[in-house]
Amino acid sequence: MSTYLPTIKQLQYLVALHETKHFGRAADASFVSQSTLSAGIRELESLLGVTLVERSRRVVRFTSLGEQVVAKANRLLREAEELADLVQAAGKPLSGQLRMSVIPTIAPFVLPRLLPRLKRERPELQLMLREETSQDAIESLQHGRCDCVLLALPFDTGDVETEHIADDRLFVAFPKDDPRDPPAAIPPEMIEPAISEGRLLLLEDGHCLRDHALAACNRSELRASAAMIGTSLHTLVQMVDNDLGLTMLPEMAIDAGILAGTDVVTRPLESDTAKREIALVWRKNSPREADFRLLAEELRAG
């Protein structure tokens, strides 16, 4: 076996550079200076005796061999993470550091209730949180940047383990005194005029709630236009309150008081698909599976 092997830190720098395609951003993501990261990658290239990265003033390009090394580095880093997890799992349940990504349409409505209880009941747990869209969160999970993801299904998560947390119904939000005089439950066809007129306000691409809302309206094929995009649920509520259109809100957001200070009226959407499944997912064969199932129990406890 070779006396000189790449270090975990060198591989982390290489993977960060591959993900960001920028030395400065890669250094920020690695919490080191740009010179430290650059030196680490040069040391790796010198150790291997090959060029992995073609450098220029404006562009960072990986060589063909560099791409292969990055793919192998990702696998090695995941193995290293799992080794650390294996040791962690042998200790006290739900203790030590645990990195969880949470999507923006769940985080502000679940975490304020969850975190104080975890701090009180699980003082040895260090929960590190990242708020990311569903796609970014799953990529973080696959690349080992997080340990588990709290998100809404259905969504293409790949090959993961899943623990059901709750079903979250979808509601239609109307401005006060809306001329449609919304009934107690809203049939999907009642929303068709708003879709045709560009008055159905939805989140921008990347948020799974947008896809869930369109599926509930039987309009999964619809693509966003500039007239119907919002950046957050709170923004959508303000747009509805100012009579700019209708939107869809998850029940957890309504229960958490997102409508406070507005005149927005909500009614449940009358559809078998008018709900999303809140779930915790993690990589298959993770040695911390018991921890994730315990965390799911804490999430279900409300």
Side-chain angles (χ1 to χ4, degrees):
M1 185 172 66
S2 173
T3 305
Y4 304 104
L5 293 173
T7 67
I8 293 294
K9 188 63 68 178
Q10 288 169 341
L11 296 179
Q12 287 174 329
Y13 292 165
L14 187 70
V15 168
L17 181 62
H18 187 265
E19 290 175 351
T20 62
K21 298 296 190 295
H22 187 277
F23 278 91
R25 290 194 292 271
D28 289 342
S30 303
F31 302 101
V32 296
S33 68
Q34 184 171 330
S35 60
T36 297
L37 181 132
S38 182
I41 293 176
R42 287 192 182 279
E43 288 170 3
L44 176 61
E45 290 178 315
S46 177
L47 174 69
L48 298 176
V50 297
T51 297
L52 303 174
V53 183
E54 297 176 359
R55 301 159 174 85
S56 71
R57 282 184 172 273
R58 296 183 179 179
V59 179
V60 173
R61 291 191 182 91
F62 276 71
T63 64
S64 176
L65 181 58
E67 293 285 351
Q68 296 176 56
V69 171
V70 166
K72 178 67 74 173
N74 270 312
R75 291 195 291 272
L76 289 172
L77 290 174
R78 283 198 298 270
E79 291 287 343
E81 292 277 356
E82 289 175 3
L83 185 149
D85 288 346
L86 181 65
V87 175
Q88 183 68 58
K92 188 175 180 181
L94 266 189
S95 62
Q97 187 180 100
L98 193 153
R99 301 165 303 167
M100 181 170 72
S101 288
V102 189
I103 63 174
T105 58
I106 293 179
F109 314 117
V110 169
L111 297 183
R113 299 196 311 272
L114 174 69
L115 296 181
R117 191 175 75 251
L118 283 180
K119 186 176 181 179
R120 182 175 63 252
E121 298 177 3
R122 305 281 185 176
E124 296 182 17
L125 174 65
Q126 184 183 5
L127 190 60
M128 311 293 289
L129 297 169
R130 297 167 63 111
E131 188 175 84
E132 301 182 287
T133 63
S134 300
Q135 186 61 53
D136 289 343
I138 292 300
E139 288 180 4
S140 290
L141 182 66
Q142 292 169 344
H143 288 92
R145 294 191 296 270
C146 70
D147 303 309
C148 60
V149 178
L150 183 62
L151 81 174
L153 302 175
F155 186 79
D156 183 11
T157 59
D159 193 21
V160 298
E161 293 286 351
T162 303
E163 184 80 16
H164 173 82
I165 305 300
D167 286 331
D168 191 27
R169 293 189 300 165
L170 296 180
F171 283 67
V172 184
F174 295 86
K176 183 184 179 183
D177 301 325
D178 188 277
R180 281 162 284 239
D181 188 22
I186 308 299
E189 54 269 22
M190 187 174 178
I191 304 174
E192 280 293 332
I195 295 175
S196 302
E197 298 164 8
R199 285 175 54 81
L200 180 59
L201 308 168
L202 298 173
L203 292 172
E204 59 192 349
D205 272 332
H207 293 274
C208 58
L209 180 60
R210 176 184 172 278
D211 298 326
H212 297 156
L214 290 173
C217 297
N218 302 317
R219 294 296 297 271
S220 298
E221 81 289 351
L222 197 64
R223 293 294 177 263
S225 65
M228 49 186 290
I229 292 178
T231 57
S232 71
L233 289 182
H234 289 85
T235 299
L236 292 180
V237 167
Q238 292 305 314
M239 293 168 75
V240 174
D241 197 33
N242 284 276
D243 200 18
L244 298 178
L246 316 179
T247 195
M248 299 274 195
L249 296 175
E251 187 171 21
M252 67 165 56
I254 298 170
D255 290 345
I258 196 171
L259 302 180
T262 74
D263 292 320
V264 174
V265 176
T266 60
R267 298 286 187 271
L269 185 61
E270 194 174 39
S271 169
D272 292 339
T273 58
K275 63 180 180 181
R276 58 181 190 162
E277 179 190 1
I278 309 303
L280 187 71
V281 305
W282 60 90
R283 293 183 295 275
K284 281 200 168 184
N285 303 316
S286 170
R288 299 192 71 179
E289 178 177 355
D291 276 350
F292 300 137
R293 297 202 185 277
L294 281 174
L295 181 59
E297 288 181 15
E298 295 284 358
L299 288 161
R300 281 192 291 267

